[in-house]
Amino acid sequence: MTIRGRRGFTIIELVVVTVLGGLLIVSTLQILIINQRTYTAQNAQIQGTQAIRIALEVLSSELREVSAQGGDIVAMNSDSLRIRAPRKIGLICNDSVIGNRVWRVLQIGDWFSAGDSVFVFADNQGTTGNDDTWIKTTVSAVDTTTTCSSDAAQRLTFASATPGATPFMTDSVSSGAEVRSFIHIGYGLMTYGGVQYLGRSVAGGTWTPIVGPLSTRGVSFSYLDLNGNTTAASTNVASIEVTVRTSSDVVDSTGEPVADSVSVRVYTRN
């Protein structure tokens, strides 16, 4: 075949190929954009779910140890609460009473420290539970050079009992009685860097963010009595309903912001 007889692409063919190629590129880009949006929305949903799970785990573990009748709920609001949270525990050793304010305490977990606020369980008359009480006091001195049946123990000196409480008597605290330390902790919604978080405040100190980001109504508390009715009396609280909500700037396939909320009811230790 001569050079004159060779035939190239026509303009129409080139236009058709260009249009088809452009459509293929556009379709591919649309699929990539949709996939990216789907991934971003799913990632935001997963992050929100994880934030809710962690927040509920933190609050549930704390609130299960609360004794409302014992006065552990210090302040309660719809978006925050402050509780008396137990932290350390020990057991009174056998024949450990020295005077009426010094005991040897078997170590369980962390050591007690001077200055710790504690409750000591006083059985008083062992034949009845009507006079059992928790005596609120403070550890004034600590000696760690003692043992309890060869196990590590501390000799704790307690300050005088709180005025009005059952006085310390050598026969009111029995062997095996619990000694519990506690601190005041607040939980509630706080703003950090312009974003809402579940925050925590220890002993009335600075609020610290622990879980987030959450929505503008990210945490709420409802306080219920034994009948499931809302109560404003802290000593009547039998359960606390906790709701955690998340929101995001990311939108889902319907154009709505990615958001989630979960409510759980936590029964207190009464």
Side-chain angles (χ1 to χ4, degrees), residues 11-34:
I11 294 178
I12 294 177
E13 291 173 333
L14 291 174
V15 170
V16 170
V17 170
T18 301
V19 171
L20 292 177
L23 291 174
L24 179 61
I25 293 173
V26 170
S27 299
T28 303
L29 288 175
Q30 286 180 338
I31 292 174
L32 291 175
I33 291 173
I34 291 173

Side-chain angles (χ1 to χ4, degrees), residues 92-126:
I92 300 295
C93 299
N94 187 32
D95 299 328
S96 67
V97 176
I98 303 174
N100 64 353
R101 283 165 45 194
V102 181
W103 287 278
R104 282 186 296 115
V105 177
L106 177 66
Q107 178 190 4
I108 301 177
D110 295 332
W111 289 109
F112 289 98
S113 302
D116 282 353
S117 296
V118 299
F119 281 103
V120 180
F121 181 73
D123 187 33
N124 290 300
Q125 296 183 36

Side-chain angles (χ1 to χ4, degrees), residues 193-217:
V195 180
Q196 301 299 310
Y197 283 82
L198 171 65
R200 175 168 56 196
S201 173
V202 179
T206 303
W207 284 83
T208 304
I210 55 175
V211 180
L214 304 178
S215 67
T216 53
R217 296 181 58 251

Side-chain angles (χ1 to χ4, degrees), residues 85-241:
R87 280 298 178 265
K88 304 172 186 176
I89 184 173
L91 299 177
I92 300 295
C93 299
N94 187 32
D95 299 328
S96 67
V97 176
I98 303 174
N100 64 353
R101 283 165 45 194
V102 181
W103 287 278
R104 282 186 296 115
V105 177
L106 177 66
Q107 178 190 4
I108 301 177
D110 295 332
W111 289 109
F112 289 98
S113 302
D116 282 353
S117 296
V118 299
F119 281 103
V120 180
F121 181 73
D123 187 33
N124 290 300
Q125 296 183 36
T127 57
T128 177
N130 295 332
D131 61 348
D132 295 350
T133 186
W134 287 92
I135 302 174
K136 181 181 177 182
T137 183
T138 304
V139 177
S140 58
V142 175
D143 178 4
T144 59
T145 62
T146 186
T147 60
C148 184
S149 298
S150 74
D151 294 319
Q154 293 176 288
R155 181 174 286 110
L156 303 181
T157 302
F158 298 103
S160 298
T162 301
T166 303
F168 279 112
M169 301 296 291
T170 56
D171 59 351
S172 68
V173 179
S174 305
S175 173
E178 289 187 12
V179 179
R180 287 177 171 264
S181 75
F182 66 89
I183 57 176
H184 284 194
I185 297 182
Y187 288 99
L189 195 65
M190 65 168 295
T191 302
Y192 179 77
V195 180
Q196 301 299 310
Y197 283 82
L198 171 65
R200 175 168 56 196
S201 173
V202 179
T206 303
W207 284 83
T208 304
I210 55 175
V211 180
L214 304 178
S215 67
T216 53
R217 296 181 58 251
V219 180
S220 62
F221 302 95
S222 297
Y223 307 93
L224 310 174
D225 60 18
L226 286 172
N227 297 318
N229 300 319
T230 302
T231 179
S234 61
T235 54
N236 291 338
V237 174
S239 63
I240 301 175
E241 188 171 270

